[in-house]
């Protein structure tokens, strides 16, 4: 008989998550073509807090590098990584599938198609809404094809449904690009993933959606633990399974769509981070979701640091860096779940 696991989030893991974010923040701002002392960078970051005035020893040019160039990009990386990881953990709980991920479920492809349509039709102002609409349609179709099939559903069925939906949406996207050749370069750069910023514009665009997603998903994280024992048991405990799933799916898709809209397609973050967190801190979503949020933010900020420093002065697409780690990791997860019945 399956039982609930009342594991709670341990303060030590929470402190480790915040520590990882701070390390990624300082390292991401300090390292680059012009390397700045980490201690001075930390002091300058603290000076952004009202009422704090610490001597950093940096000149005006170096302070401008921090506040106008690197900090917006690092903060954007933190937000995107947090959203993709949180959404990945949420999808895994909703579908009770360890392979669920915004990209494997077709959610990112749907958001990508919506964003491509907005770019192709010169409607950049509604790009986040277009991405969210595409993500919502994709996750509903994948759910209907892969999960609502009854007792024969399995991890492979859901993933295959996601792959099929992704391929179909990619075909539509390709058709649109061929009909709008003048936008191919812009969209192609976006498809490879990017965290290049124009000041704080992308951060302010993503932040409201990130706040809503975080509040809703974390508020319902205990319901994911209840859903893990099965719909019948969850209903006997007073939960409305389908209503909870719809709310969680909508919130996760909103976060994914907003992240994809500003950063393009950055794969594997949503599967790597929740799995590592699950291995380290246990299987309760009370721990998985908040820790995925923190460690996902740190992971993508550090991945972006690697992308812009490994071949300096050139820069790798960040999607290449995450795929380098994510593809082997996905194979390991796939092998470990072959005998698991979901």
């Amino acid at each position: 008989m399956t039982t609930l696991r009342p594991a709670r989030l341990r303060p030590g893991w929470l402190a480790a998550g915040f520590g990882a974010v701070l390390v990624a923040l300082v390292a991401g701002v300090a390292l680059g073509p012009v390397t700045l002392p980490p201690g001075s960078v930390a002091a300058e970051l603290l000076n952004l807090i009202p009422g704090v005035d610490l001597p950093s020893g940096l000149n005006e040019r170096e302070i401008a590098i921090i506040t106008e160039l690197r900090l917006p990009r690092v903060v954007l990386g933190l937000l995107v990584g947090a959203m993709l990881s949180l959404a990945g953990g949420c999808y895994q709980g909703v579908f009770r599938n360890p392979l669920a991920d915004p990209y494997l479920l077709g959610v990112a492809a749907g958001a990508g198609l919506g964003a491509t349509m907005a770019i192709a039709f010169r409607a950049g102002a509604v790009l986040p809404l277009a991405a969210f609409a595409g993500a919502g349609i994709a996750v509903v179709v994948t759910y209907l094809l892969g999960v609502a099939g009854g007792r024969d559903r399995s991890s492979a069925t859901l993933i295959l449904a996601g792959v099929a939906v992704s391929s179909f949406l990619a075909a539509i996207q390709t058709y649109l690009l061929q009909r709008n050749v003048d936008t191919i370069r812009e969209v192609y750069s976006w498809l490879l993933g990017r965290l290049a910023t124009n000041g704080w514009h992308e951060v302010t665009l993503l932040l409201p959606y990130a706040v809503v997603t975080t509040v809703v998903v974390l508020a319902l994280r205990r319901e994911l633990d209840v859903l893990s024992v099965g719909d019948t048991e969850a209903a006997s405990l007073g939960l409305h399974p389908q209503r909870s799933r719809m709310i969680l799916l909508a919130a996760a898709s909103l976060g994914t769509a907003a992240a994809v809209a500003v950063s393009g397609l950055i794969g594997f973050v949503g599967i790597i981070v929740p799995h590592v967190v699950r291995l380290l801190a246990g299987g309760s979503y009370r721990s998985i979701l908040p820790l995925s949020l923190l460690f996902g933010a740190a992971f993508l900020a550090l991945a972006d640091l690697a992308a812009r420093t490994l071949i300096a002065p050139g820069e790798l697409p960040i999607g290449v860096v995450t795929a380098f780690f994510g593809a082997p990791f996905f194979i390991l997860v796939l092998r470990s779940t072959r005998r698991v019945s979901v």
Side-chain angles (χ1 to χ4, degrees), residues 34-98:
V34 177
T35 300
L36 303 172
S40 299
V41 169
E44 201 57 48
L45 293 177
L46 289 173
N47 285 339
L48 297 175
I49 301 174
V52 177
D53 186 15
L54 297 174
S56 65
L58 300 177
N59 58 40
E60 291 185 0
R61 174 177 169 272
E62 291 169 331
I63 293 174
I65 290 175
I66 291 175
T67 57
E68 297 177 16
L69 296 178
R70 293 184 186 173
L71 187 57
R73 177 165 180 157
V74 175
V75 172
L76 182 65
L78 292 171
L79 287 176
V80 171
M83 285 302 95
L84 295 179
S85 299
L86 185 67
C90 184
Y91 287 133
Q92 290 168 18
V94 168
F95 292 117
R96 287 186 286 163
N97 190 321

Side-chain angles (χ1 to χ4, degrees), residues 73 193 304 306-308 310-311 314-321:
R73 177 165 180 157
D304 181 54
R308 57 187 167 87
L310 285 177
I311 60 169
E315 180 175 326
L316 285 169
I318 191 171
V320 173
V321 177

Side-chain angles (χ1 to χ4, degrees), residues 151-165:
R151 296 180 180 180
D152 294 334
R153 67 190 186 191
S154 66
S155 299
T157 303
L158 183 65
I159 298 305
L160 288 174
V163 170
V165 170

Side-chain angles (χ1 to χ4, degrees), residues 117-130:
M117 293 178 69
I119 294 173
F121 295 116
R122 309 296 181 189
V126 298
L127 194 150
L129 292 178

